[in-house]
Amino acid sequence: MTSTIQDRARRAVAIAFWLIIWELASLLIGEELFLPSPVAVVMRLFSMIGLPGFWSSILFTLSRIISGFVLSVAAALLLAVLSNASRTASFLIEPIVKVIRATPVASIVILALVWISSRNLSVIISFMMVFPIVYSNVLEGIRNTDGKLLEAADIYRVRRVKRIRYIYLPSVIPYFSASVKAALGLAWKSGIAAEVISLPDGSIGERVYEAKIYLSTPDLFAWTLVIIVLAFLFERFFLLLTAALSRRIEG
Amino acid sequence: MRIDIKEKRFQDKVLFRDASFSFPEGRCSTIIAPSGRGKTTLMRMLCGLDRDFMGSVDGMPRRPVVLFQEDRLAEGISVLSNLMAVTDDRASALSMLSSVGLEGEERSLVSTLSGGMKRRVAIARALLVDFDALFLDEPFSGLDEATKRKIASLILRVAVGRTIILITHSEEDAALLSSSSAVRL
């Protein structure tokens, strides 16, 4: 408990240290266009909160990135189970996963723009960025399930549903949690990048692009802060969800 | 139950050649030998887990249950969840847990238990499953003398009238289960 409090204090000091460095650098440069101070950014953020379109932009982007993420996790789980059950399915899916991993986000964004409307591009992009990570990790978790435990389950005639509940899920959950943690950040980064390239009306990406066009660096920083906070809250929510799932599986 | 083995190899080594072993039904028999003589392999052939040999088994049990040499528990879940994997009857699971001296441990994660406690969870799980033959591979490893006697008495009570095959290197362990016949390798 004491070490947790100490760690939190250290983290707070580290954040304060970097904020001071930022403030000093901003004072030194003395030009808001290049580097606004943290105080200016926070003030700008508070003034933006009351503006029309602030919350709708957040809702627009949030709903799309969450949709892409959730659909991707569902598809990855389904296809990982299928790949484990069938070598043919595994061989079919593997090249797609490798291609998605190796392709730059910008290429996927531009190609996807040819096929679909820019309004839903971030759904597709976050889906594609999350899928290979969750798929590979979950598949590894399933394949690393203790073979001796499965043999014991055979001899004890454990039913399929119970095998999943008591053997496969406890094995897969740590892999799943790790992959979700890694994929969440990527979903946000790639989703926002897609919006900045495709500029759907009313998105955070469009706001970020406008800030760049109008040389409004405090706006750019304020929107970036919004994205960081959203990504952080989103990550905390999903990690709490997986922790609750883990506790339920532990029994 | 009788096994006739023309040849059984393990990797490049011949473990059994032209060997036959018989085990009376409804009683306790022991396969006893020092380590590395093929006791566990023989058990696996008898209960159908290893079919990679030249020979045959007569009277192979239809519902064998094996207490493996390793505990083979799901470490990341609770003791009760490990038992509920093999039964739908929570009351029986709790009662069996109490019989092996682990009352109050149902919510404990298996990974937090000592070696002896894990062994008792594995024994409780095996005894919860319906069987016509019970194969016990070094069942008492990691248990103290008093617990060994208590567990042996529980096994004899649960498996009464059914076949027990004990695999051990210890004469004392064989005596605990009042083994009526022994195969020495």
Side-chain angles (χ1 to χ4, degrees):
Chain A
M1 180 64 86
T2 312
S3 103
T4 311
I5 293 166
Q6 280 178 348
D7 283 351
R8 280 185 184 163
R10 284 193 188 112
R11 274 191 207 108
V13 169
I15 291 168
F17 171 79
W18 288 111
L19 284 173
I20 290 166
I21 294 287
W22 178 6
E23 181 71 35
L24 289 174
S26 168
L27 282 172
L28 201 68
I29 292 169
E31 181 54 67
E32 201 173 66
L33 178 66
F34 288 110
L35 186 63
S37 72
V39 177
V41 169
V42 171
M43 284 174 66
R44 180 65 194 133
L45 179 60
F46 279 115
S47 68
M48 275 164 47
I49 286 172
L51 291 176
F54 177 81
W55 293 107
S56 63
S57 293
I58 287 177
L59 192 64
F60 182 98
T61 299
L62 188 68
S63 61
R64 278 153 182 80
I65 289 177
I66 289 182
S67 304
F69 178 82
V70 171
L71 287 172
S72 188
V73 167
L77 288 173
L78 194 72
L79 291 177
V81 170
L82 193 66
S83 286
N84 183 63
S86 152
R87 283 176 66 82
T88 309
S90 174
F91 281 121
L92 272 174
I93 296 164
E94 203 59 38
I96 300 292
V97 171
K98 285 186 174 155
V99 166
I100 295 173
R101 268 186 195 283
T103 310
V105 180
S107 305
I108 300 176
V109 170
I110 290 162
L111 192 61
L113 268 176
V114 177
W115 298 326
I116 57 164
S117 114
S118 66
R119 286 186 68 77
N120 294 319
L121 186 69
S122 49
V123 178
I124 301 295
I125 297 304
S126 54
F127 179 98
M128 292 184 88
M129 292 301 107
V130 167
F131 179 78
I133 300 171
V134 179
Y135 169 83
S136 305
N137 274 269
V138 170
L139 186 56
E140 197 183 340
I142 297 172
R143 285 180 175 165
N144 282 345
T145 302
D146 186 353
K148 287 186 170 180
L149 193 53
L150 290 171
E151 187 185 57
D154 284 340
I155 208 87
Y156 296 145
R157 303 182 291 282
V158 177
R159 293 197 303 271
R160 186 182 292 266
V161 173
K162 288 198 166 196
R163 273 171 205 250
I164 294 170
R165 162 78 175 80
Y166 294 112
I167 300 175
Y168 282 108
L169 279 179
S171 168
V172 167
I173 282 288
Y175 290 87
F176 177 70
S177 299
S179 69
V180 162
K181 199 172 177 180
L184 274 169
L186 205 60
W188 276 97
K189 286 177 195 169
S190 58
I192 298 288
E195 285 184 353
V196 171
I197 295 171
S198 62
L199 299 175
D201 288 341
S203 66
I204 291 180
E206 188 193 34
R207 301 277 174 266
V208 169
Y209 186 77
E210 281 170 0
K212 180 225 165 199
I213 292 289
Y214 299 124
L215 298 175
S216 176
T217 317
D219 277 25
L220 182 59
F221 273 71
W223 276 113
T224 305
L225 192 60
V226 169
I227 295 163
I228 290 169
V229 169
L230 286 174
F232 174 77
L233 292 176
F234 195 43
E235 183 185 302
R236 294 295 303 168
F237 172 73
F238 267 91
L239 291 182
L240 284 173
L241 211 62
T242 50
L245 184 64
S246 289
R247 277 197 301 278
R248 190 164 171 73
I249 285 165
E250 281 167 12
Chain B
M1 193 188 325
R2 179 186 168 86
I3 183 165
D4 295 301
I5 310 168
K6 287 198 176 77
E7 187 175 274
K8 169 62 186 173
R9 286 176 173 269
F10 184 73
Q11 291 164 352
D12 286 339
K13 189 179 158 193
V14 175
L15 270 183
F16 301 103
R17 180 171 283 153
D18 296 326
S20 292
F21 305 103
S22 293
F23 303 90
E25 282 186 21
R27 291 160 71 184
C28 179
S29 307
T30 305
I31 301 171
I32 190 161
S35 298
R37 294 283 178 84
K39 301 189 291 291
T40 299
T41 305
L42 180 58
M43 177 205 78
R44 291 177 66 85
M45 291 191 288
L46 277 169
C47 68
L49 283 174
D50 186 345
R51 295 174 191 270
D52 183 24
F53 68 99
M54 290 166 66
S56 61
V57 180
D58 285 336
M60 186 184 281
R62 282 181 296 117
R63 286 170 290 117
V65 157
V66 180
L67 173 68
F68 293 93
Q69 195 169 3
E70 320 87 12
D71 298 320
R72 301 198 185 187
L73 298 167
E75 296 268 333
I77 60 175
S78 70
V79 168
L80 186 60
S81 289
N82 268 276
L83 303 190
M84 292 307 290
V86 299
T87 180
D88 293 329
D89 187 349
R90 186 185 162 91
S92 300
L94 289 171
S95 164
M96 187 60 80
L97 211 51
S98 172
S99 300
V100 297
L102 289 175
E103 59 274 24
E105 294 291 345
E106 61 269 20
R107 292 272 158 224
S108 303
L109 279 185
V110 168
S111 57
T112 65
L113 302 180
S114 69
M117 290 165 95
K118 285 181 189 176
R119 195 64 185 148
R120 282 183 279 162
V121 177
I123 291 165
R125 183 182 60 181
L127 295 180
L128 277 169
V129 183
D130 179 37
F131 57 84
D132 54 4
L134 179 61
F135 295 82
L136 303 167
D137 195 353
E138 304 284 3
F140 305 120
S141 58
L143 302 182
D144 59 58
E145 288 305 317
T147 311
K148 276 186 190 181
R149 279 194 294 278
K150 189 179 167 187
I151 296 292
S153 145
L154 173 69
I155 291 170
L156 290 172
R157 214 167 52 241
V158 172
V160 67
R162 290 178 278 183
T163 307
I164 301 175
I165 310 281
L166 171 68
I167 295 92
T168 184
H169 64 278
S170 157
E171 300 277 357
E172 291 78 16
D173 285 1
L176 276 173
L177 286 177
S178 317
S179 179
S180 62
S181 67
V183 166
R184 291 175 193 279
L185 301 178

